[in-house]
Amino acid sequence: MSETTAAAETAAPHRYTAALAAEIEARWQDFWDENGTYEAPNPAGDLAGDPEVVARPERFIMDMFPYPSGAGLHVGHPLGYIATDVTARYLRMTGHNVLHTLGFDAFGLPAEQYAVQTGTHPRVSTEANMENMKAQLRRLGLGHDRRRSFATIDPEYYRWTQWIFLQIFNSWYDEEADRARPIEDLVEQFEGGKRPTPDGRPWSGLSAAERADVLGGYRLAYASDAPVNWCPGLGTVLANEEVTAEGRSERGNYPVFKANLRQWNMRITAYAERLLRDLDGLDWPEAIKLQQRNWIGRSEGARIEFPVVGSDERITVFTTRQDTLFGATYMVLAPEHGLVDRIVPAAWPEGTREAWTGGHATPAEAVAEYRRQAASKSDVERQADAKEKTGVFTGAYAVNPAGGERIPVFIADYVLMGYGTGAIMAVPAHDSRDFAFARAFELPMRCVVEPTDGRGTDPSAWDDAFASYEATIINSTGAEVSLDGLGVTEAKSRMTEWLAERGIGEGTVNYRLRDWLFSRQRYWGEPFPIVYDEEGVAHALPESMLPLELPEVEDYSPRTFDPDDADTEPETPLSRNEEWVNVTLDLGDGPKRYRRETNTMPNWAGSCWYELRYLDPHNGERLVDPEVERYWMGPREGKPTGGADLYVGGAEHAVLHLLYARFWSKVLYDLGHVSSAEPFHKLFNQGMIQAYVYRDSRGIAVPAAEVEERDGAYWYKGEKVSRALGKMGKSLKNAVTPDEICAEYGADTLRLYEMAMGPLDVSRPWDTRAVVGQYRLLQRLWRNVVDEATGEVSVVDAEPDEETLRALHKAIDGVRQDMEGLRFNTAIAKITELNNHVTRLREVPRSVAEPLVLLIAPLAPHVAEELWHRLGHEGSVVYAGFPVADPRYVADETVTCVVQVRGKVKARLEVSPDIPDADLEARALAEPAVVNALGGAGVRKVIVRAPKLVNVVPA
């Protein structure tokens, strides 16, 4: 401690310091916990409470689920948590019953990888991480209802995750009713003959395995053999959303390959239209809505069937340009398409071009080799706009149903099974990728959309395809239908009608969205409540057997392989526990031998429904009490599909988590378990707190705290280093922990600084040196209420002057508006301005000090609580009423009106804020300076923007 600091503390022993802040904060945190200050009562159940509080307007405020990392928190992590806490505190002070709590999303790969490296059970490391994180979060003074907290790894939590999975498994989507229904309803339709089986046989004539296969085609959760993203380096399959644009795993950056494996899927595609439609009623950022719309990818077009020559097979395509059917000169199937093997002939047809064969003696050899090559590419790589198009002829021809011509059928990797039907009709004159393929394989092109750019109608002379919706159809007349002379829209309609009349197609809607791959070859995840009988038929465990707990295993890791070895298959940790896998169970028809599912659910499963568990966290009888769910999340005016009132988190979850959670909510809604069809009504994406990364000449990050700035350059141990703004993190050696800042300044200072750095939704750089500004704000606030020499309250009971009343009520009005709009940085600016005004007063009136304390209470709750009690109040500031502005003092008595002549300022008038336009014009024209500026000229026009501007235009 310096002599200056020591002298200051001797002169002012009751100054607000880091030590005093630490004492105040610890004491009030204990008080809040002991008194259940943040406990929000439910209308029913074990958490039911005071009916008067329940009768208040309710608000459910949520943060996105944190993952308990072993590295603990850095100052970037609490940004959203502080913001929701400020909001929740403001809402409590404005008379709301507020539910705000926080749990932990604790399954997943990081804990499993740590277990593999150290031999520590994932539960042990995860629970230790959670305790550390809870302590860090508590120190920030977050007002969470701790009774409602949980972790997804708690068996009593994942019991209900498993239960929801079974609800989805035991449901199908009834397209006529546009909702999910129990699978028993579908079985009744098959049994009663209302719905025919796929092969026409009666339901009673099907074996158990055959019935299971039929129902598997309808279930909302189903297992199937399908192309999946196999990552040998991680030893697991990945959802499309977990694969980067470079075709590598998001975690670990390993190569990802296509492989055919039997996996669990969620039929999220059944909800594509509703997932799109219900976005309109949500209060979400437009950018997030757009990302969801693009991911779902709705497109209107037509389904068209092309007969295969010499076969009963038909190739079905989906196209958005059915108006160009006459221009289809070849077809392309995805290499994985199931039809390929059925149409490939034994030998090349006579006259097959060498370029089409890939140099192979037979079509079967060409197809097999090309499939092998395609399997090594990710979907992203296959869709990339590569200059060189690859593919091989299957040896089969199809018939263009419009013109009747035979057209060759190829396989090529630029066509994916994941979109449409996995087959396209290629119209090379009007699609750039088809154009490039046709050029490479010397295929014909036919212009059927008249170019409007003067290039002519001979595609052989073009450099690229011509694609337009603002053009006329040409060269499109056949024996039964003609589109010539029609515009694109009319031609599409006419062709769709003709296809339907012929029974070879129909207008339809397609979606880019694929079913959600739900299996993971990992240990640390929720076990599937599914067992298989000796015939391989899947059976759901009865509810009485839930939770199916994760067993102990010696080896936690899935078997990993050479990251580049695509010819490998998953081996799960659970499959090595024979005693757990093979069991005898009585599922209602006597004891039988079964085999458990050895995959686990993805880490997204637990976060698909956690908002519901917050509502009713101890319910062991049902997912959630309907009365409790309706109270907190039910639909109401302004919230048509229900959901949490505010959900704050990063924009990186725009697709994955949000789409999956919305899907689960809709299934539960359809089945009558909840009243809310959407989980989160209002979404807010906070920005990121960034930090400078310093790197040496090798590009290695060096400790930011040890870097010195000299002469405009940055130095580390005598070496010049570079500086760039980036993420904050342990690996970049630039992390600042909240514990450090709390120790030096106090938690309230940290809270204020993070909220004051800039707009909440904008990323901003951390600057430890700037924290002191908010520390000084609190010191001035403290000094305005407490005598630093005696520790006594120094406010007086005198009436404030009018200037102070105006400053106070303008601040109250502005802060209220800012709090409602989550503009905490500008709210702090207004509080600072008021605080500075109060600092200049000789004496501070109580009637000003108390509202000032209340204004800052949501932002700096510890110091506010302390000052509130020192001011003589017994109740907690948490539930004190937020100040209300007196409108008499909010409006300015006068405003300055600028008067311009010929665009130049000639006068300034002090006028009433509500002065009428006519009166303002008259005053402006009578002003001597304006009269002089006109110099006797007439007035052609006067533009009045009362009360702040008058623009006079001379004649």
PDB file of all heavy atoms in Angstrom, residues 368-379:
ATOM      1  N   ALA A 368     -18.976 -48.508 -59.160  1.00  0.00           N
ATOM      2  CA  ALA A 368     -18.352 -48.890 -57.891  1.00  0.00           C
ATOM      3  C   ALA A 368     -17.162 -47.986 -57.571  1.00  0.00           C
ATOM      4  O   ALA A 368     -16.999 -47.514 -56.440  1.00  0.00           O
ATOM      5  CB  ALA A 368     -17.930 -50.350 -57.925  1.00  0.00           C
ATOM      6  N   GLU A 369     -16.305 -47.750 -58.582  1.00  0.00           N
ATOM      7  CA  GLU A 369     -15.118 -46.922 -58.353  1.00  0.00           C
ATOM      8  C   GLU A 369     -15.510 -45.473 -58.080  1.00  0.00           C
ATOM      9  O   GLU A 369     -14.941 -44.820 -57.198  1.00  0.00           O
ATOM     10  CB  GLU A 369     -14.190 -46.992 -59.558  1.00  0.00           C
ATOM     11  CG  GLU A 369     -12.993 -46.053 -59.489  1.00  0.00           C
ATOM     12  CD  GLU A 369     -12.104 -46.271 -58.264  1.00  0.00           C
ATOM     13  OE1 GLU A 369     -12.152 -47.380 -57.672  1.00  0.00           O
ATOM     14  OE2 GLU A 369     -11.392 -45.315 -57.879  1.00  0.00           O
ATOM     15  N   TYR A 370     -16.510 -44.964 -58.794  1.00  0.00           N
ATOM     16  CA  TYR A 370     -16.912 -43.578 -58.583  1.00  0.00           C
ATOM     17  C   TYR A 370     -17.549 -43.402 -57.202  1.00  0.00           C
ATOM     18  O   TYR A 370     -17.318 -42.401 -56.523  1.00  0.00           O
ATOM     19  CB  TYR A 370     -17.880 -43.106 -59.667  1.00  0.00           C
ATOM     20  CG  TYR A 370     -18.111 -41.610 -59.581  1.00  0.00           C
ATOM     21  CD1 TYR A 370     -17.181 -40.721 -60.100  1.00  0.00           C
ATOM     22  CD2 TYR A 370     -19.229 -41.098 -58.927  1.00  0.00           C
ATOM     23  CE1 TYR A 370     -17.358 -39.346 -59.976  1.00  0.00           C
ATOM     24  CE2 TYR A 370     -19.429 -39.736 -58.806  1.00  0.00           C
ATOM     25  CZ  TYR A 370     -18.492 -38.866 -59.333  1.00  0.00           C
ATOM     26  OH  TYR A 370     -18.655 -37.519 -59.196  1.00  0.00           O
ATOM     27  N   ARG A 371     -18.314 -44.404 -56.785  1.00  0.00           N
ATOM     28  CA  ARG A 371     -18.907 -44.334 -55.451  1.00  0.00           C
ATOM     29  C   ARG A 371     -17.829 -44.278 -54.366  1.00  0.00           C
ATOM     30  O   ARG A 371     -17.954 -43.550 -53.381  1.00  0.00           O
ATOM     31  CB  ARG A 371     -19.818 -45.545 -55.221  1.00  0.00           C
ATOM     32  CG  ARG A 371     -21.199 -45.412 -55.829  1.00  0.00           C
ATOM     33  CD  ARG A 371     -21.981 -46.691 -55.633  1.00  0.00           C
ATOM     34  NE  ARG A 371     -23.424 -46.463 -55.712  1.00  0.00           N
ATOM     35  CZ  ARG A 371     -24.321 -47.436 -55.703  1.00  0.00           C
ATOM     36  NH1 ARG A 371     -23.930 -48.711 -55.606  1.00  0.00           N
ATOM     37  NH2 ARG A 371     -25.615 -47.160 -55.780  1.00  0.00           N
ATOM     38  N   ARG A 372     -16.773 -45.050 -54.563  1.00  0.00           N
ATOM     39  CA  ARG A 372     -15.689 -45.052 -53.589  1.00  0.00           C
ATOM     40  C   ARG A 372     -15.052 -43.662 -53.478  1.00  0.00           C
ATOM     41  O   ARG A 372     -14.783 -43.163 -52.384  1.00  0.00           O
ATOM     42  CB  ARG A 372     -14.631 -46.084 -53.989  1.00  0.00           C
ATOM     43  CG  ARG A 372     -13.554 -46.319 -52.929  1.00  0.00           C
ATOM     44  CD  ARG A 372     -12.429 -47.173 -53.469  1.00  0.00           C
ATOM     45  NE  ARG A 372     -11.696 -46.471 -54.520  1.00  0.00           N
ATOM     46  CZ  ARG A 372     -10.803 -45.491 -54.284  1.00  0.00           C
ATOM     47  NH1 ARG A 372     -10.550 -45.117 -53.054  1.00  0.00           N
ATOM     48  NH2 ARG A 372     -10.185 -44.917 -55.282  1.00  0.00           N
ATOM     49  N   GLN A 373     -14.856 -43.026 -54.618  1.00  0.00           N
ATOM     50  CA  GLN A 373     -14.272 -41.681 -54.617  1.00  0.00           C
ATOM     51  C   GLN A 373     -15.216 -40.671 -53.959  1.00  0.00           C
ATOM     52  O   GLN A 373     -14.780 -39.816 -53.183  1.00  0.00           O
ATOM     53  CB  GLN A 373     -13.966 -41.242 -56.056  1.00  0.00           C
ATOM     54  CG  GLN A 373     -12.889 -42.061 -56.750  1.00  0.00           C
ATOM     55  CD  GLN A 373     -12.756 -41.670 -58.217  1.00  0.00           C
ATOM     56  OE1 GLN A 373     -13.133 -40.573 -58.624  1.00  0.00           O
ATOM     57  NE2 GLN A 373     -12.222 -42.569 -59.021  1.00  0.00           N
ATOM     58  N   ALA A 374     -16.496 -40.769 -54.265  1.00  0.00           N
ATOM     59  CA  ALA A 374     -17.466 -39.808 -53.717  1.00  0.00           C
ATOM     60  C   ALA A 374     -17.594 -39.937 -52.208  1.00  0.00           C
ATOM     61  O   ALA A 374     -17.838 -38.942 -51.511  1.00  0.00           O
ATOM     62  CB  ALA A 374     -18.829 -40.014 -54.381  1.00  0.00           C
ATOM     63  N   ALA A 375     -17.421 -41.162 -51.689  1.00  0.00           N
ATOM     64  CA  ALA A 375     -17.566 -41.385 -50.249  1.00  0.00           C
ATOM     65  C   ALA A 375     -16.503 -40.657 -49.443  1.00  0.00           C
ATOM     66  O   ALA A 375     -16.673 -40.402 -48.247  1.00  0.00           O
ATOM     67  CB  ALA A 375     -17.521 -42.884 -49.951  1.00  0.00           C
ATOM     68  N   SER A 376     -15.386 -40.310 -50.088  1.00  0.00           N
ATOM     69  CA  SER A 376     -14.303 -39.632 -49.375  1.00  0.00           C
ATOM     70  C   SER A 376     -14.525 -38.135 -49.281  1.00  0.00           C
ATOM     71  O   SER A 376     -13.732 -37.423 -48.680  1.00  0.00           O
ATOM     72  CB  SER A 376     -12.963 -39.908 -50.062  1.00  0.00           C
ATOM     73  OG  SER A 376     -12.933 -39.293 -51.344  1.00  0.00           O
ATOM     74  N   LYS A 377     -15.609 -37.628 -49.868  1.00  0.00           N
ATOM     75  CA  LYS A 377     -15.883 -36.191 -49.851  1.00  0.00           C
ATOM     76  C   LYS A 377     -17.064 -35.886 -48.937  1.00  0.00           C
ATOM     77  O   LYS A 377     -18.010 -36.670 -48.845  1.00  0.00           O
ATOM     78  CB  LYS A 377     -16.216 -35.686 -51.266  1.00  0.00           C
ATOM     79  CG  LYS A 377     -15.087 -35.812 -52.272  1.00  0.00           C
ATOM     80  CD  LYS A 377     -15.539 -35.237 -53.617  1.00  0.00           C
ATOM     81  CE  LYS A 377     -14.468 -35.349 -54.675  1.00  0.00           C
ATOM     82  NZ  LYS A 377     -14.934 -34.797 -55.979  1.00  0.00           N
ATOM     83  N   SER A 378     -17.005 -34.740 -48.294  1.00  0.00           N
ATOM     84  CA  SER A 378     -18.149 -34.281 -47.497  1.00  0.00           C
ATOM     85  C   SER A 378     -19.192 -33.675 -48.412  1.00  0.00           C
ATOM     86  O   SER A 378     -18.915 -33.353 -49.573  1.00  0.00           O
ATOM     87  CB  SER A 378     -17.695 -33.231 -46.475  1.00  0.00           C
ATOM     88  OG  SER A 378     -17.369 -32.026 -47.154  1.00  0.00           O
ATOM     89  N   ASP A 379     -20.404 -33.486 -47.862  1.00  0.00           N
ATOM     90  CA  ASP A 379     -21.461 -32.838 -48.642  1.00  0.00           C
ATOM     91  C   ASP A 379     -21.039 -31.444 -49.086  1.00  0.00           C
ATOM     92  O   ASP A 379     -21.353 -31.011 -50.195  1.00  0.00           O
ATOM     93  CB  ASP A 379     -22.744 -32.736 -47.802  1.00  0.00           C
ATOM     94  CG  ASP A 379     -23.464 -34.078 -47.700  1.00  0.00           C
ATOM     95  OD1 ASP A 379     -22.980 -35.057 -48.294  1.00  0.00           O
ATOM     96  OD2 ASP A 379     -24.507 -34.125 -47.017  1.00  0.00           O
TER      97      ASP A 379
END
